[in-house]
């Protein structure tokens, strides 16, 4: 999505089922989030000071959740940037296609859970920032 902006991305307040035994959050594809979930992966054991991401996707929708601990996600549409600090497992950050993302400030023991709308496709990635800016201009 060449015309997408950071304003198309949003924090989603996920359903939390509170219980004295512990809380439960549920995410159903095409219901709580605007896509069907085809893939789940998670980032963990990220060393202090490391960053992840630094790319955009052409078609992929994702929901990022701090399943444990915290980290920051900076979104960039080529014109504007915004940084979200994720630190609660009942908030998900929806990232639409065509948005550059940088993840950093991972706390010790943090887990970044990612729900994705497509299977893994290396060709869907734009990993060079200048290529990304050119892509958004087209
Ligand atoms: C994203 C951020 C938040 C696979 O083989 N299958 C997969 O589903 C994924 C996600 C990755 N890989 C391989 C590709 C690379 O050889 O795992 C290696 C590391 O992937 P990458 O450098 O893309 O990892 P991150 O953490 O920079 O980015 C990942 C996702 O790729 C990306 O979509 O938005 O997490």
């Amino acid at each position: 999505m060449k015309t997408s902006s950071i304003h198309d991305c949003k924090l989603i307040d996920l359903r939390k089922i509170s219980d004295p035994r512990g809380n439960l959050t549920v995410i159903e594809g095409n219901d709580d989030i605007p896509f069907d979930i085809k893939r789940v992966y998670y980032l963990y054991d990220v060393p202090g000071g490391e960053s992840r991401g630094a790319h955009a996707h052409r078609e992929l929708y994702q929901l990022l959740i701090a399943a444990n601990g915290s980290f920051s996600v900076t979104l960039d549409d080529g014109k504007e940037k915004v940084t979200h600090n994720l630190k609660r497992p009942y908030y998900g950050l929806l990232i639409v296609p065509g948005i550059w993302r940088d993840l950093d400030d991972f706390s010790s023991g943090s887990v970044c859970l990612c729900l994705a709308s497509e299977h893994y496709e290396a060709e869907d990635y734009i990993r060079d920032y200048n290529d990304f800016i050119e892509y958004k201009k087209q």
Side-chain angles (χ1 to χ4, degrees):
M1 255 213 285
K2 295 175 179 170
T3 56
S4 62
S5 88
I6 56 169
H7 303 289
D8 300 315
C9 303
K10 61 179 177 184
L11 269 181
I12 297 180
D13 196 352
L14 300 163
R15 284 187 276 163
K16 181 161 114 179
I17 302 171
S18 300
D19 190 305
R21 299 170 299 164
N23 300 328
L24 184 155
T25 286
V26 58
I27 303 164
E28 295 195 31
N30 282 325
D31 184 356
D32 300 291
I33 54 175
F35 60 85
D36 206 11
I37 301 161
K38 287 203 183 146
R39 179 166 52 106
V40 174
Y41 63 91
Y42 37 98
L43 307 173
Y44 56 99
D45 290 347
V46 178
E50 273 298 345
S51 54
R52 310 272 321 201
H55 56 253
H57 287 279
R58 292 181 169 83
E59 303 291 339
L60 190 73
Y61 286 77
Q62 295 203 99
L63 188 81
L64 270 49
I65 300 162
N68 193 50
S70 64
F71 54 87
S72 294
V73 186
T74 300
L75 304 177
D76 177 351
D77 59 19
K79 289 184 180 147
E80 288 183 89
K81 291 185 187 186
V82 63
T83 299
H84 295 275
N85 185 241
L86 299 186
K87 56 186 172 196
R88 301 277 181 245
Y90 47 86
Y91 280 111
L93 178 62
L94 174 70
I95 308 180
V96 302
I99 302 292
W100 189 269
R101 83 286 317 266
D102 290 295
L103 283 72
D104 55 19
D105 288 335
F106 286 87
S107 68
S108 173
S110 58
V111 178
C112 171
L113 175 64
C114 306
L115 311 183
S117 65
E118 305 297 336
H119 294 292
Y120 178 70
E121 286 254 9
E123 297 71 30
D124 190 60
Y125 286 71
I126 304 171
R127 290 189 180 271
D128 181 278
Y129 190 74
N130 292 328
D131 291 347
F132 169 67
I133 295 299
E134 280 307 310
Y135 173 80
K136 294 297 274 185
K137 279 186 194 159
Q138 287 164 19

